[in-house]
Amino acid sequence: MERLRYAALALALLSTGGGVALSATAPPSPAAQGVEGDLATARMLAAMLQSARGVVSAHQSEINDPATGDKHLPGRRVLAEAVDRFRAQTGLDPNAVDPKSYAGRLLRAQMDAIIEVMDANQTTINQEGVGFKGFIPATFARLVNEAFERRVGGEASIKVTAPLPLVRNRQSRPDPWEVATIADHFETANWPKGELFSQVTGEGKNQRVRVAVPEYYAESCLSCHGSPAGELDITGYPREGAKLGDLGGVISIQLMPQ
Ligand code: HEC
């Protein structure tokens, strides 16, 4: 189901991205194409972030191993594994998205950011004799989003935030739109689990497409975010007392195509 939706969106995206009309029958209106394309772009950016975070998570015990030095996790390798996961999740090849299109530019900036953050943290993760190094998926994702912002900040931004009582890093606090999205949509009883929320906000040159993707706690999150509430986890933060399946965070994407 999820794959099909990606495929349909990708088709819409790829067929509009090339700028070549394949048939003379009435195409969707430019506005409809725009929103559809932006949603496809946002889904891809969220999927790439999740994929890369998943790679770091899969290698967490190696990263935390005090007995080995070189973990053999340079940026290129992490990106290659992230692309494999992205393909499995979406059925799309990120390298096939036209690099000159808006989506293609953003996706490449994000992939470059993944490489940059891994390469910049080699000394940390390859340090022998130290177990836990603080290099965890959430921190990695925040650094990737910051590196993305440095590349294409005028065109798009990606942030991982959370319901206010859960926020650990002050930089990740939700803005008013994110607070409202969480309260009025994601935390309502009938919100379909995993469904994103999107809205066009602002006017003129402040107009942007905002997309929020909810994320839920899995078993693997609870060693840090679970119980007993208040007791410090391995990272030194107090545990939130969260439960499996609770809303744990939101990937918040802003698109400002020019
Ligand atoms: C090893 C402990 C640990 C695990 C396991 C862990 N987290 Fe976190 N999480 C943290 C820390 C520490 C931060 C703050 C990172 C930073 O400085 O940006 C964080 C930040 C976050 C944030 C960003 C907002 C904020 O609070 O700053 C979200 C969302 C989040 N975690 C969700 C999850 C989810 C979902 C999982 C499981 C898939 C998970 N975490 C697993 C420790 C953990």
Side-chain angles (χ1 to χ4, degrees), residues 53 57 60 64 132 134 136-143 146 160-164 166-173 215-225 233-237 240 246-251:
R53 216 173 40 185
S57 178
Q60 189 74 68
N64 292 357
F132 184 69
I136 61 169
T139 305
F140 164 75
R142 179 167 52 75
L143 296 173
E146 288 167 7
V160 181
T161 185
L164 197 53
L166 299 180
V167 172
R168 292 183 163 206
N169 191 315
R170 287 175 59 82
Q171 275 172 266
S172 303
R173 279 175 302 179
E215 299 198 292
Y216 306 88
Y217 288 121
E219 200 60 62
S220 68
C221 318
L222 299 181
S223 60
C224 293
H225 293 285
D233 70 15
I234 188 176
T235 70
Y237 278 94
E240 288 83 0
D246 284 355
L247 179 71
V250 173
I251 300 179

Side-chain angles (χ1 to χ4, degrees), residues 147-234:
F148 176 82
E149 180 106 27
R150 284 195 296 277
R151 287 175 160 77
V152 289
E155 290 190 277
S157 73
I158 310 173
K159 165 186 174 189
V160 181
T161 185
L164 197 53
L166 299 180
V167 172
R168 292 183 163 206
N169 191 315
R170 287 175 59 82
Q171 275 172 266
S172 303
R173 279 175 302 179
D175 70 14
W177 184 87
E178 291 156 345
V179 168
T181 297
I182 290 168
D184 302 343
H185 302 285
F186 297 156
E187 284 179 339
T188 57
N190 50 3
W191 187 262
K193 209 153 193 184
E195 189 61 38
L196 60 72
F197 175 76
S198 69
Q199 198 173 33
V200 178
T201 67
E203 279 173 25
K205 61 177 173 20
N206 293 323
Q207 192 176 79
R208 56 200 54 208
V209 179
R210 298 205 59 166
V211 181
V213 181
E215 299 198 292
Y216 306 88
Y217 288 121
E219 200 60 62
S220 68
C221 318
L222 299 181
S223 60
C224 293
H225 293 285
S227 296
E231 195 165 291
L232 299 191
D233 70 15
I234 188 176

Side-chain angles (χ1 to χ4, degrees), residues 5-248:
R5 190 164 52 177
Y6 273 115
L9 286 167
L11 262 182
L13 184 77
L14 294 172
S15 60
T16 57
V20 180
L22 294 174
S23 92
T25 55
S29 73
Q33 276 185 13
V35 169
E36 189 89 323
D38 287 336
L39 280 183
T41 302
R43 282 184 197 279
M44 288 197 289
L45 295 172
M48 184 59 79
L49 186 69
Q50 289 168 329
S51 299
R53 216 173 40 185
V55 174
V56 171
S57 178
H59 291 288
Q60 189 74 68
S61 53
E62 292 153 60
I63 293 171
N64 292 357
D65 181 3
T68 49
D70 194 350
K71 310 299 188 297
H72 303 289
L73 284 174
R76 284 273 156 212
R77 177 175 170 207
V78 169
L79 178 62
E81 291 185 12
V83 167
D84 286 346
R85 282 172 178 257
F86 179 94
R87 281 211 191 92
Q89 185 182 332
T90 66
L92 295 175
D93 177 0
N95 296 306
V97 181
D98 180 359
K100 290 193 288 294
S101 68
Y102 178 60
R105 268 203 319 281
L106 298 186
L107 210 47
R108 272 167 189 75
Q110 192 185 29
M111 294 193 282
D112 289 346
I114 290 166
I115 292 181
E116 176 191 313
V117 171
M118 284 314 297
D119 287 349
N121 282 281
Q122 290 297 302
T123 313
T124 302
I125 68 176
N126 292 335
Q127 204 177 350
E128 226 178 309
V130 179
F132 184 69
K133 303 167 185 70
F135 194 80
I136 61 169
T139 305
F140 164 75
R142 179 167 52 75
L143 296 173
V144 167
N145 292 338
E146 288 167 7
F148 176 82
E149 180 106 27
R150 284 195 296 277
R151 287 175 160 77
V152 289
E155 290 190 277
S157 73
I158 310 173
K159 165 186 174 189
V160 181
T161 185
L164 197 53
L166 299 180
V167 172
R168 292 183 163 206
N169 191 315
R170 287 175 59 82
Q171 275 172 266
S172 303
R173 279 175 302 179
D175 70 14
W177 184 87
E178 291 156 345
V179 168
T181 297
I182 290 168
D184 302 343
H185 302 285
F186 297 156
E187 284 179 339
T188 57
N190 50 3
W191 187 262
K193 209 153 193 184
E195 189 61 38
L196 60 72
F197 175 76
S198 69
Q199 198 173 33
V200 178
T201 67
E203 279 173 25
K205 61 177 173 20
N206 293 323
Q207 192 176 79
R208 56 200 54 208
V209 179
R210 298 205 59 166
V211 181
V213 181
E215 299 198 292
Y216 306 88
Y217 288 121
E219 200 60 62
S220 68
C221 318
L222 299 181
S223 60
C224 293
H225 293 285
S227 296
E231 195 165 291
L232 299 191
D233 70 15
I234 188 176
T235 70
Y237 278 94
R239 289 184 175 81
E240 288 83 0
K243 294 193 181 52
L244 186 67
D246 284 355
L247 179 71

